[in-house]
Amino acid sequence: MGGTSGSGYADKVSRPSPAEDRELHGQVALLLSTRDQRYTAQRRQIVRALAKLGRPATIGELVEAATGVPLSTAYRNLSILGDADVVRRVGGADGFTRFELSEQLSGQHHHHVVCECCGLVIDAATSPTLEAALVETARAIAKANGFDVTEHRLELVGRCTSCRNTAAS
Amino acid sequence: MGGTSGSGYADKVSRPSPAEDRELHGQVALLLSTRDQRYTAQRRQIVRALAKLGRPATIGELVEAATGVPLSTAYRNLSILGDADVVRRVGGADGFTRFELSEQLSGQHHHHVVCECCGLVIDAATSPTLEAALVETARAIAKANGFDVTEHRLELVGRCTSCRNTAAS
DNA sequence: CCGCGATATGAGAATGACTATCACTATAGG
DNA sequence: CCTATAGTGATAGTCATTCTCATATCGCGG
């Protein structure tokens, strides 16, 4: 396991170590070169920001974390990085698109926990039991509806600690 | 078979019978009156359209199905119906918000199958096994991250029949 | 080291889904 | 029937996201 959190089950997905970080940029460069794209300073900044945040981030969070990358460049590069399977778009609970590193780069299949109050999204690992049930369901759905199901996304919706404390609402 | 599809497992959620349809409008009227809202002709049109389509629908689909309801009215009423727990917003795979009747009205807890190609979203029932695993996961997540998880949303992503046939892509 | 063609950048304009505004209309209920 | 209250709908505004294009930078052959 990557950052080896130890507890393993349904825990917050861990942050990359420095060594993994170096490895990460190599992989990104490879993925980009496959599509005749350069790994420029701005793109590196964005990837670094994504890795540092360790959770699906909004454009606002990204341009803040990636110093000196303007909005238009961030959007364009996020789109390119998405085409190269470096980045995945995550539909937020609020109306904000969020971005995270693809699972082949972050290294772990995971799902999301969403705060319905502030829109915060964090990663969460799954259990083998859940995954087995999901795969089984996907197969049944595909059979029943003629869909070719290739992927599943799970969102646990609730309220984060700070929102629960701040507003009673 | 009225609302009960028989096959039961991971099957397409069934359409309401005429009797259930009458019942539906009664429930909507009740939910609205609780919040001092009227069940007007336009709102009835929208609810009818949602029930008829039987899957998460975009604004475009709704104004087309609900004859004579202009865009602004549709948006406003969808928002009001949302506050009254009559409709639920569903974040589409493409950038389009979709709307469906709430589970207490459509009568069945279900998940969604999304076509990554054309954006079509259809309902799909779950299995007890999956639900048990989901609840278990939610509990673990809540414990690990301090989140108060109250709901889960599952999306199976793939390709619908017509998209698979039309474009090879 | 120089230059050239291709690619990336970034500031600002354009797009488009969604929301707010507001004069007008319809409804409830005394 | 009259008045208060709520709903309607055309239009204007908002704002995230995308497009445009002149400029800057990169890779690479000479």
Side-chain angles (χ1 to χ4, degrees):
Chain A
M1 193 176 284
T4 58
S5 63
S7 81
Y9 175 65
D11 205 355
K12 201 170 171 180
V13 169
S14 56
R15 219 55 59 71
S17 72
E20 289 169 339
D21 199 68
R22 240 173 287 125
E23 174 64 16
L24 167 68
H25 290 296
Q27 284 186 266
V28 173
L30 184 61
L31 283 168
L32 282 172
S33 69
T34 304
R35 302 182 66 101
D36 291 307
Q37 302 278 0
R38 300 171 189 162
Y39 196 20
T40 66
Q42 286 88 341
R43 290 172 190 175
R44 193 177 292 261
Q45 286 269 51
I46 290 170
V47 170
R48 211 189 314 262
L50 286 167
K52 185 175 181 181
L53 288 168
R55 54 173 173 76
T58 62
I59 288 279
E61 293 171 325
L62 287 177
V63 294
E64 187 175 8
T67 325
V69 178
L71 210 59
S72 61
T73 299
Y75 271 118
R76 175 162 22 80
N77 282 335
L78 248 359
S79 170
I80 287 164
L81 291 167
D83 290 343
D85 289 319
V86 173
V87 164
R88 188 170 75 153
R89 301 175 99 92
V90 178
D94 43 11
F96 294 81
T97 304
R98 284 155 201 268
F99 304 88
E100 68 175 358
L101 291 176
S102 69
E103 291 190 337
Q104 69 174 302
L105 288 176
S106 63
Q108 280 171 286
H109 176 51
H110 63 272
H111 297 301
H112 293 134
V113 193
V114 183
C115 177
E116 65 190 346
C117 179
C118 69
L120 175 71
V121 182
I122 66 173
D123 293 349
T126 50
S127 71
T129 311
L130 177 62
E131 286 306 313
L134 286 171
V135 169
E136 168 60 21
T137 305
R139 181 170 25 237
I141 300 280
K143 188 173 181 183
N145 298 294
F147 259 76
D148 200 0
V149 175
T150 57
E151 192 189 348
H152 60 254
R153 294 181 202 147
L154 174 63
E155 271 176 30
L156 287 306
V157 184
R159 193 168 287 210
C160 73
T161 315
S162 77
C163 277
R164 195 145 21 99
N165 293 338
T166 308
S169 178
Chain B
M1 64 180 83
T4 46
S5 67
S7 81
Y9 176 65
D11 204 355
K12 200 169 169 181
V13 169
S14 56
R15 217 59 56 72
S17 73
E20 288 169 338
D21 197 69
R22 239 172 288 125
E23 174 62 17
L24 168 68
H25 290 297
Q27 284 187 266
V28 173
L30 184 61
L31 283 168
L32 282 173
S33 70
T34 303
R35 302 182 65 102
D36 290 306
Q37 302 279 1
R38 299 171 189 162
Y39 195 21
T40 66
Q42 287 90 339
R43 291 173 189 175
R44 192 176 293 261
Q45 285 269 51
I46 291 170
V47 169
R48 211 188 313 263
L50 285 168
K52 184 175 183 181
L53 288 168
R55 54 172 172 76
T58 63
I59 287 277
E61 293 171 325
L62 287 177
V63 293
E64 188 175 6
T67 325
V69 178
L71 210 58
S72 62
T73 299
Y75 271 119
R76 176 163 22 79
N77 283 334
L78 249 357
S79 170
I80 287 164
L81 290 167
D83 290 343
D85 289 319
V86 173
V87 311
R88 187 170 75 153
R89 301 175 100 92
V90 178
D94 43 10
F96 295 80
T97 304
R98 283 153 201 270
F99 303 88
E100 68 176 358
L101 291 176
S102 69
E103 291 190 337
Q104 69 173 302
L105 288 176
S106 62
Q108 281 172 287
H109 176 51
H110 64 271
H111 296 301
H112 292 134
V113 193
V114 182
C115 177
E116 64 189 346
C117 181
C118 68
L120 175 71
V121 182
I122 65 173
D123 293 350
T126 51
S127 71
T129 311
L130 178 61
E131 287 305 315
L134 286 171
V135 168
E136 168 61 22
T137 304
R139 181 168 27 233
I141 300 280
K143 189 173 180 182
N145 298 295
F147 259 77
D148 200 1
V149 175
T150 57
E151 192 189 346
H152 60 254
R153 292 182 202 148
L154 173 64
E155 272 177 29
L156 286 307
V157 184
R159 191 167 288 210
C160 72
T161 316
S162 77
C163 276
R164 196 147 19 101
N165 294 338
T166 308
S169 176

